[in-house]
Amino acid sequence: MGNIRLSHAALVALLLCPRLSGAFVTSPHDRFGPVAFRPGVAEMSANADGDGEPDVAGEEAPVIAQSVVRIDDGGSDLTDRFKYKVNALMGTFDPPGGSADDENQNGNILNAMMTFPTQYAFNVVGKTGGDDAAKESYVETVKGIIASSSGDDERAMECRVTPRGAKFTRVSVTAMVGSAAVINTIYDELAALEMTVMRY
C-alpha cells in the first residue's frame, strides 16, 4: 500500500483510538488538511496485481494492515507542545491512583512533567520605585527566601536582575529544588512580600 499522509488532528485521533478499524485517506473536504477518516475502507494506491490502477473503477478495497504513516507538517518534528497535549489526552500525566486531582491541589502537573531534584527558574517582579537601595534589598530578600526554602546554596544559585521600566524590577533565580511542594512553598513566600506584584 502507498504512503498515507496524516494531519496533526488525524494523528491525535489515531493515537487516542488505536483500535479504530478504519483508514485515513485523502480528501479535499477535510478542514484540518488533506486527510479524512473513512471507517472500514481505504483508497488504494495500487491493486493486487501491482499495476497502480484499481481493478474496477471507483472500487473501494479492504484496508491492508501494512502502511506507512507520514505527518504532513513540512518535514519538521512534532513540537513539544503537541506531544504534551497528546500525552495529556492519553492520561500519561494523570496523578497516581488514590491521589486527589481537583482545583485545590498544587503540584500535580509539575510532578508529572518534571523529575526531581531539578533546576527550576523562579521569576518575580517587584515594585522597587526606581530606588537602587530598595532594588538591592528586594533582590537579596528573594534570593534568601529561595535559598532557605530549597536548601540550595545561595552562592550556587544563578540570579539575573532586569529593570522593568522605571519603577519595577524583575528577578530571575535558578535553584535546585527537590519537589513540586517546594516550588509552591517558595512561590507562596515570594507572593507574601509587600513589593512583589507578579510571580511566574
Side-chain angles (χ1 to χ4, degrees):
M1 180 174 180
N3 292 342
I4 298 173
R5 303 181 79 136
L6 292 181
S7 65
H8 286 284
L11 178 62
V12 170
L14 185 62
L15 290 174
L16 294 178
C17 304
R19 295 182 185 158
L20 288 175
S21 62
F24 290 91
V25 295
T26 58
S27 169
H29 305 294
D30 184 17
R31 62 179 240 206
F32 296 111
V35 176
F37 180 75
R38 276 195 202 161
V41 296
E43 294 177 5
M44 305 301 290
S45 62
N47 68 349
D49 49 353
D51 64 2
E53 297 295 324
D55 290 331
V56 178
E59 175 184 336
E60 292 184 345
V63 175
I64 297 175
Q66 295 178 341
S67 64
V68 177
V69 177
R70 297 189 193 243
I71 298 171
D72 189 12
D73 64 352
S76 66
D77 291 333
L78 295 174
T79 63
D80 286 340
R81 182 177 177 183
F82 179 75
K83 291 176 189 174
Y84 283 131
K85 287 182 180 181
V86 170
N87 282 316
L89 290 170
M90 293 176 66
T92 307
F93 300 136
D94 288 352
S99 299
D101 186 24
D102 58 25
E103 71 278 1
N104 298 320
Q105 305 305 311
N106 289 321
N108 285 346
I109 294 174
L110 287 174
N111 281 327
M113 296 177 65
M114 301 179 105
T115 303
F116 292 100
T118 189
Q119 293 281 338
Y120 188 84
F122 296 91
N123 295 284
V124 291
V125 176
K127 187 173 183 179
T128 55
D131 181 14
D132 287 338
K135 179 174 88 173
E136 289 301 319
S137 172
Y138 182 67
V139 169
E140 291 305 316
T141 303
V142 168
K143 287 169 55 177
I145 287 172
I146 294 172
S148 67
S149 295
S150 69
D152 200 6
D153 184 8
E154 192 170 330
R155 295 173 300 213
M157 295 187 308
E158 179 185 332
C159 180
R160 290 186 315 272
V161 179
T162 310
R164 291 291 183 209
K167 297 183 179 182
F168 298 93
T169 303
R170 175 183 174 234
V171 182
S172 178
V173 179
T174 303
M176 184 67 73
V177 293
S179 70
V182 171
I183 293 172
N184 289 324
T185 300
I186 291 172
Y187 274 130
D188 290 343
E189 292 178 17
L190 293 173
L193 294 175
E194 184 178 340
M195 294 194 324
T196 298
V197 293
M198 186 184 301
R199 57 194 171 89
Y200 53 97

